[in-house]
């Protein structure tokens, strides 16, 4: 039976938050808006991937459309014989594609200028290597679609939504945890051209030095940065569940960890964060209330290293307090947090009670 420690009275320093100043708040809002506009422009431009060309078959010209379906696979479709209508269709499509590309280029330039402002105001928080990995996962179509960012890096989403900076002592990390939802069929989009649709090959597009370690759930690069693929413990144990994303011989195999079912089932929490160079990115993470309750539960595990337990507790306290003070639309109520076992919910309640602001 798993043994737990009572650390309600463990002395962990109360962490104060640094709220964004007026300039930082203004530019964070501008950055979010411009990033959203950029994402819309990218989506629009991506919809024109492929081509409309004339194709001759049996002496008759047809308008042939090449496109990519929702999985990123290339498809072809005949639009009709050459006629004034199909000629107009082709001309309109080409004009719309050119317009979409111009809009995308303009918004990319705007975002570059905004990133410089973000750097000047020191808004960047997410380590660059982590940001590049998260963007690659997002571009591959699996961020929020079977993969969530868990662990320490999730805190960047919570602080971005709250408009504060958390003590870097509890956010500094040299790894990233990728929580895989084993219930879903994950597929890296074909348009990303990742060999075997494998996560390890996706990581190598970010940094060619990534290799799977002897622990098959982990990849490590030459600088010692770690990427862990994790998933909940299969229940019942004999039930088969997905453990990999792709089919490469050295693909990462997700490690099963107790308690992750709560994070897997938690409502998704999305925020736009900013990396060390000022560039924005999406983060999709578990609900902060469930993150804090889970971290508190982990901090009580007797088999957890003492130094890690104290860090877990500090993170649980910080996220609970941040949620209570700044994310008031997320109350700590049982009706909204049914994915937590009752005992886990009750044990973490005091973290949120203490975090409620006084008036």
């Amino acid at each position: 039976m798993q043994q737990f420690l009572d650390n309600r009275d463990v002395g962990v320093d109360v962490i104060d938050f640094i709220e964004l100043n007026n300039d930082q708040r203004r530019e964070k809002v501008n950055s979010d808006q411009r990033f959203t506009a950029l994402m819309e422009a990218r989506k629009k431009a991506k919809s024109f991937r492929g081509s409309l060309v004339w194709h001759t078959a049996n002496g008759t010209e047809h308008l042939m459309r090449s496109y990519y379906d929702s999985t990123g696979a290339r498809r072809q479709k005949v639009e009709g014989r050459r006629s004034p209508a199909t000629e107009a269709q082709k001309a309109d499509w080409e004009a719309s594609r050119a317009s979409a590309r111009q809009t995308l280029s303009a918004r990319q330039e705007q975002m570059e200028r905004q990133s410089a402002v973000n750097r000047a105001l020191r808004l960047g928080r997410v380590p660059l290597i982590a940001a590049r990995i998260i963007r690659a996962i997002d571009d591959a179509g699996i961020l929020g679609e079977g993969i969530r960012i868990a662990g320490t890096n999730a805190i960047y989403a919570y602080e971005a939504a709250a408009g504060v900076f958390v003590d870097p002592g509890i956010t500094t990390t040299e790894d990233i945890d990728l929580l895989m939802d084993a219930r879903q069929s994950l597929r890296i989009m074909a348009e990303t051209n990742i060999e075997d649709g494998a996560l390890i090959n996706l990581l190598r597009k970010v940094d060619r030095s990534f290799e799977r370690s002897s622990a098959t759930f982990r990849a490590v690069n030459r600088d010692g940065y770690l990427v862990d693929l994790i998933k909940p413990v299969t229940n019942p144990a004999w039930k088969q569940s997905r453990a990999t994303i792709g089919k490469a011989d050295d693909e990462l195999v997700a490690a099963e960890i107790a308690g992750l079912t709560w994070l897997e089932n938690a409502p998704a929490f999305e925020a736009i964060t900013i990396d060390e160079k000022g560039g924005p990115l999406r983060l999709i993470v578990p609900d902060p209330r469930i993150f804090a309750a889970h971290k508190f539960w982990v901090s009580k595990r007797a088999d957890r290293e003492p130094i890690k337990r104290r860090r877990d507790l500090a993170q649980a306290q910080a996220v609970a307090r941040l949620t209570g003070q700044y994310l008031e639309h997320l109350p700590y109520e049982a009706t909204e947090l049914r994915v937590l076992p009752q005992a886990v919910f009750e044990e973490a309640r005091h973290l949120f009670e203490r975090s409620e602001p006084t008036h």
Side-chain angles (χ1 to χ4, degrees), residues 25-237:
R25 279 194 291 267
R26 181 189 66 242
E27 295 306 327
K28 177 61 167 66
V29 171
N30 288 339
S31 183
D32 288 0
Q33 292 174 341
R34 288 167 180 165
F35 178 68
T36 300
L38 175 60
M39 292 300 97
E40 291 173 352
R42 284 181 180 170
K43 183 177 180 180
K44 181 72 172 179
K46 187 179 288 188
S47 70
F48 288 99
R49 290 182 72 250
S51 61
L52 272 178
V53 297
W54 299 113
H55 175 72
T56 301
N58 299 323
T60 302
E61 280 190 303
H62 295 82
L63 185 61
M64 178 75 73
R65 178 188 297 275
S66 295
Y67 65 99
Y68 293 84
D69 65 17
S70 59
T71 68
R74 188 179 179 89
R75 307 292 185 194
Q76 288 187 320
K77 176 185 176 183
V78 175
E79 295 290 332
R81 293 186 177 186
R82 187 160 193 163
S83 67
T86 53
E87 288 177 351
Q89 179 183 356
K90 186 174 188 296
D92 289 345
W93 185 86
E94 290 175 344
S96 297
R97 179 177 62 178
S99 176
R101 287 176 174 176
Q102 290 174 354
T103 298
L104 176 59
S105 179
R107 291 183 180 174
Q108 287 173 331
E109 291 179 3
Q110 185 184 54
M111 198 69 253
E112 289 177 5
R113 294 192 295 271
Q114 181 66 55
S115 295
V117 172
N118 293 344
R119 286 196 301 273
L121 291 175
R122 298 182 178 180
L123 283 169
R125 296 286 286 172
V126 184
L128 193 57
I129 181 64
R132 293 178 63 199
I133 291 169
I134 294 165
R135 289 192 184 101
I137 291 170
D138 200 359
D139 291 343
I142 56 176
L143 180 64
E145 299 295 332
I147 292 289
R148 291 181 182 180
I149 307 305
T152 299
N153 286 280
I155 299 175
Y156 293 120
Y158 309 139
E159 66 171 21
V164 300
F165 295 143
V166 174
D167 182 346
I170 66 168
T171 58
T172 301
T173 181
E174 292 298 323
D175 65 2
I176 186 170
D177 292 334
L178 306 181
L179 174 60
M180 185 178 82
D181 188 338
R183 302 166 303 179
Q184 292 187 239
S185 177
L186 282 76
R187 178 182 298 182
I188 291 176
M189 294 184 68
E191 64 190 64
T192 55
N193 297 318
I194 303 299
E195 184 181 356
D196 298 319
L199 178 61
I200 186 65
N201 292 327
L202 182 65
L203 295 175
R204 286 171 180 150
K205 287 197 71 174
V206 173
D207 182 336
R208 286 182 295 179
S209 71
F210 269 114
E211 296 291 343
R212 189 176 75 176
S213 74
S214 57
T216 57
F217 64 89
R218 171 173 291 165
V220 58
N221 71 358
R222 65 168 64 91
D223 298 319
Y225 191 85
L226 307 176
V227 180
D228 289 352
L229 184 65
I230 56 178
K231 71 171 187 173
V233 174
T234 302
N235 186 23

